[in-house]
């Protein structure tokens, strides 16, 4: 079975632009989460979606938004890009909500560079 | 809010030797999960081992084991018989036991180098 897939793998954007990152969870997984990992740091939680509803939001500005589609895939959108948004964006999926005992699986991430 | 601290930014170990990575956390929760994730140069986070706070027995997965001290809020990872493929960033992570929002809280990581 395919793992968590993310696209694009690498992209370069200019300050002020908008970016959309995409994630396909493992087949059958209903929960998708997004994390931002700045170089040299651990990942930081941005959003969690479960059954197409937002179930959690981290401490990120309103420029960050996300959604989950009926097929459980997800998009992360970032508007008005800043240099500080340069990071690895990780998508994670789980069969159900993580604390019900299911393992959380991560994709390989999307490297975003803002210049 | 929960915090996770990894006090060793970098460590190295000789191949076949044993190494222990440290992690402490701060929480007022009683029920939670703790994890160690490995992130090799490919950047994909790979789950190494998981511990439920209500279990007193330390988790073990092949060459990987943990020393979970709930009262001390300590969760160290021991890697036995280190292999070159163990070279990676290792992240300690915490998750509340909650039926709603379930984000992982990560430490800053420890870079482990296994030397031949």
């Amino acid at each position: 079975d395919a793992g968590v897939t993310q696209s694009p793998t690498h992209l370069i954007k200019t300050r002020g632009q908008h970016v959309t990152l995409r994630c396909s969870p493992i087949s059958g997984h209903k929960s998708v989460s997004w994390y931002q990992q700045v170089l040299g740091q651990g990942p930081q939680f941005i959003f969690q979606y479960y059954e197409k509803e937002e179930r959690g939001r981290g401490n990120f500005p309103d420029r960050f938004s996300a959604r989950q589609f009926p097929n459980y895939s997800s998009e992360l959108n970032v508007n008005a890009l800043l240099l500080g948004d340069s990071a690895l964006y990780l998508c994670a999926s789980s069969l159900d909500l993580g604390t019900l005992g299911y393992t959380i699986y991560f994709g390989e991430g999307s490297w975003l560079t803002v210049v | 809010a929960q915090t996770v601290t990894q006090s060793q930014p970098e460590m190295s170990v000789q191949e076949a030797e044993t190494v222990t990575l440290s992690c402490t956390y701060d929480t007022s929760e009683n029920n939670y999960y703790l994890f160690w994730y490995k992130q090799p140069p490919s950047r994909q986070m790979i789950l190494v081992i998981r511990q439920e706070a209500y279990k007193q027995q330390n988790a073990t997965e092949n060459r990987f084991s943990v020393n979970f001290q709930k009262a001390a809020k300590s969760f160290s990872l021991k890697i036995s018989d280190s292999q070159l493929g163990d070279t990676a960033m290792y992240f300690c992570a915490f998750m509340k036991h909650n039926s709603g929002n379930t984000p992982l809280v990560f430490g800053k990581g420890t870079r482990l180098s296994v030397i031949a």
Side-chain angles (χ1 to χ4, degrees), chain A residues 45 61-62 66 78 84 101 107 111 115:
Chain A
F45 171 69
D62 291 344
V78 187
W111 269 112
V115 297

XYZ file of all heavy atoms in Angstrom, chain A residues 45 61-62 66 78 84 101 107 111 115:
71
model
N 2.898 21.752 15.237
C 1.548 21.437 14.779
C 0.863 22.663 14.182
O 0.874 23.750 14.785
C 0.749 20.912 15.967
C -0.723 20.728 15.717
C -1.173 19.731 14.870
C -1.650 21.535 16.343
C -2.521 19.543 14.643
C -3.011 21.357 16.136
C -3.443 20.362 15.284
N -0.662 32.049 12.243
C -1.539 33.166 11.836
C -2.604 32.714 10.843
O -2.528 31.628 10.260
C -0.553 34.156 11.194
C 0.630 33.345 10.803
C 0.734 32.238 11.805
N -3.573 33.601 10.637
C -4.693 33.298 9.744
C -4.267 33.156 8.286
O -5.080 32.737 7.451
C -5.751 34.401 9.861
C -6.435 34.379 11.213
O -6.309 33.348 11.907
O -7.076 35.377 11.574
N -6.435 25.372 5.834
C -6.397 24.014 5.294
C -7.816 23.511 5.106
O -8.790 24.109 5.587
C -5.620 23.082 6.242
N -1.103 28.702 2.264
C -0.441 29.784 2.980
C -0.465 31.018 2.084
O 0.020 30.974 0.948
C 1.008 29.442 3.373
C 1.583 30.549 4.273
C 1.082 28.098 4.070
N 10.076 33.803 6.708
C 10.031 32.875 7.838
C 9.144 31.669 7.620
O 9.134 30.747 8.445
N -5.285 4.893 19.817
C -4.349 3.780 19.758
C -3.778 3.510 18.390
O -3.069 2.540 18.212
N 4.395 11.709 5.882
C 4.902 11.752 4.523
C 6.321 12.295 4.512
O 6.880 12.627 5.561
N 9.262 20.727 0.783
C 10.233 21.759 1.128
C 9.792 23.064 0.467
O 9.747 23.175 -0.744
C 11.619 21.397 0.578
C 12.481 20.620 1.494
C 12.879 19.328 1.337
C 13.109 21.084 2.696
N 13.694 18.954 2.364
C 13.862 20.010 3.214
C 13.113 22.302 3.387
C 14.593 20.114 4.395
C 13.844 22.407 4.561
C 14.564 21.312 5.047
N 11.740 33.318 -1.128
C 12.870 34.224 -1.416
C 12.377 35.652 -1.610
O 11.176 35.879 -1.812
C 13.652 33.755 -2.657
C 14.255 32.389 -2.407
C 12.747 33.727 -3.892
